[in-house]
């Protein structure tokens, strides 16, 4: 069963996985939740944090699917937090712990711009952002761009030297507008260390792509 992937809290996982949205995508599916949970465990093993609370937030943090190009995108984490609160209330959780989970969910989102106020919020934010870096970050970026119908890059100006960056049209532009900026925003020392490693993989991919299309990097 998929709940076994979330040891040692399989019973809680089984209850929460039943509420996963049906309209999710390949960048925010069960595999994403498993990866984030593994990141959470790796970070929390050093930094600490309430594991049960962290698992609940992990499984509920993408509970409301809002596409990247939807104008409501910045509200996605708030909507997920509200839904998560209702689910945990039905499971009999205490109000204080529900509020704690809600904050963790709200603060995880890059687009929401909410400062994490608790250790658990810092851990989940880092764990989720790690999935946007490294080889997985590349895979998710191009997957999402394909869904949106974006081109791989501008054939006339791949590095946007003489135009404004436009990551709605060109996938490679998203490296500059977001992916290569994520390394600076990590909240924990462990998350920062892991982010530095994955950031280097993003750079290596970008350099390889530019070389293969006959471009010399201007970075």
């Amino acid at each position: 069963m998929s709940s076994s992937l979330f040891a040692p809290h399989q019973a809680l996982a089984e209850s929460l996985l039943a509420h996963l949205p049906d309209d999710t995508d390949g960048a925010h599916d069960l595999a994403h939740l498993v990866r984030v949970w593994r990141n959470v465990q790796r970070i929390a093993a050093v930094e600490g944090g309430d594991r049960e609370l962290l698992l609940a937030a992990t499984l509920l943090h993408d509970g409301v699917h809002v596409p990247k190009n939807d104008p409501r995108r910045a509200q996605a984490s708030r909507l997920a937090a509200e839904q998560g609160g209702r689910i945990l209330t039905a499971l009999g959780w205490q109000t204080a712990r529900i509020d704690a989970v809600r904050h963790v969910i709200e603060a995880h989102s890059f687009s929401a711009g909410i400062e994490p106020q608790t250790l658990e919020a810092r851990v989940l934010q880092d764990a989720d952002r790690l999935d946007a870096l490294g080889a997985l970050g590349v895979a998710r970026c191009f997957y999402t761009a394909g869904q949106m119908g974006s081109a791989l890059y501008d054939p006339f100006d791949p590095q946007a030297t003489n135009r404004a960056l436009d990551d709605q049209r060109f996938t490679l532009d998203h490296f500059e507008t977001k992916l290569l900026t994520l390394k600076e925003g990590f909240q924990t020392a462990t998350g920062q260390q892991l982010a530095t490693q994955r950031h280097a993989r993003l750079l290596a991919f970008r350099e390889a792509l530019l070389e293969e299309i006959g471009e010399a990097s201007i970075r």
Side-chain angles (χ1 to χ4, degrees):
M1 293 179 60
S2 56
S3 59
S4 64
L5 297 169
F6 300 97
H9 300 290
Q10 292 95 324
L12 174 62
E14 188 170 350
S15 297
L16 298 181
L17 287 171
H19 297 277
L20 289 183
D22 295 326
D23 60 346
T24 188
D25 59 52
H28 302 90
D29 56 3
L30 177 61
H32 169 65
L33 298 181
V34 173
R35 294 192 301 268
V36 173
W37 176 238
R38 288 173 177 166
N39 291 339
V40 163
Q41 290 179 301
R42 190 170 181 181
I43 295 169
V46 179
E47 307 288 341
D50 183 320
R51 304 299 200 278
E52 182 186 50
L53 193 154
L54 279 166
L55 178 62
T58 297
L59 295 182
L60 297 170
H61 81 277
D62 284 333
V64 176
H65 177 58
V66 181
K68 289 287 187 183
N69 56 352
D70 191 300
R72 300 172 302 145
R73 180 62 188 174
Q75 303 174 38
S77 67
R78 179 180 61 79
L79 296 171
E82 291 174 355
Q83 177 175 280
R86 291 191 293 270
I87 292 169
L88 294 175
T89 296
L91 292 178
W93 278 45
Q94 295 180 347
T95 300
R97 289 183 68 73
I98 293 173
D99 289 344
V101 172
R102 283 171 54 104
H103 172 66
V104 175
I105 295 172
E106 283 193 276
H108 91 273
S109 170
F110 180 88
S111 55
I114 297 173
E115 189 70 24
Q117 300 298 321
T118 65
L119 172 58
E120 289 78 16
R122 293 190 289 273
V123 169
L124 183 65
Q125 188 183 99
D126 282 5
D128 187 62
R129 290 189 183 183
L130 280 173
D131 211 45
L133 291 171
L136 283 163
V138 172
R140 294 179 72 207
C141 177
F142 281 93
Y143 169 87
T144 302
Q147 285 193 313
M148 295 169 58
S150 303
L152 297 182
Y153 57 88
D154 180 354
F156 302 104
D157 190 0
Q159 299 182 73
T161 54
N162 295 299
R163 63 174 175 84
L165 290 165
D166 186 353
D167 61 1
Q168 298 292 310
R169 294 181 62 197
F170 306 116
T171 311
L172 188 60
D173 286 16
H174 194 61
F175 281 64
E176 303 298 330
T177 60
K178 181 177 179 181
L179 299 187
L180 292 174
T181 71
L182 291 177
K183 179 174 71 73
E184 305 306 321
F186 278 73
Q187 301 287 330
T188 68
T190 305
Q192 182 64 64
Q193 180 182 16
L194 296 170
T196 299
Q197 297 168 0
R198 296 195 184 194
H199 179 84
R201 294 170 191 161
L202 280 180
L203 286 175
F205 173 85
R206 181 181 180 277
E207 295 297 308
L209 188 149
L210 290 172
E211 188 275 329
E212 290 180 11
I213 65 174
E215 284 278 314
S217 176
I218 61 173
R219 290 183 62 85

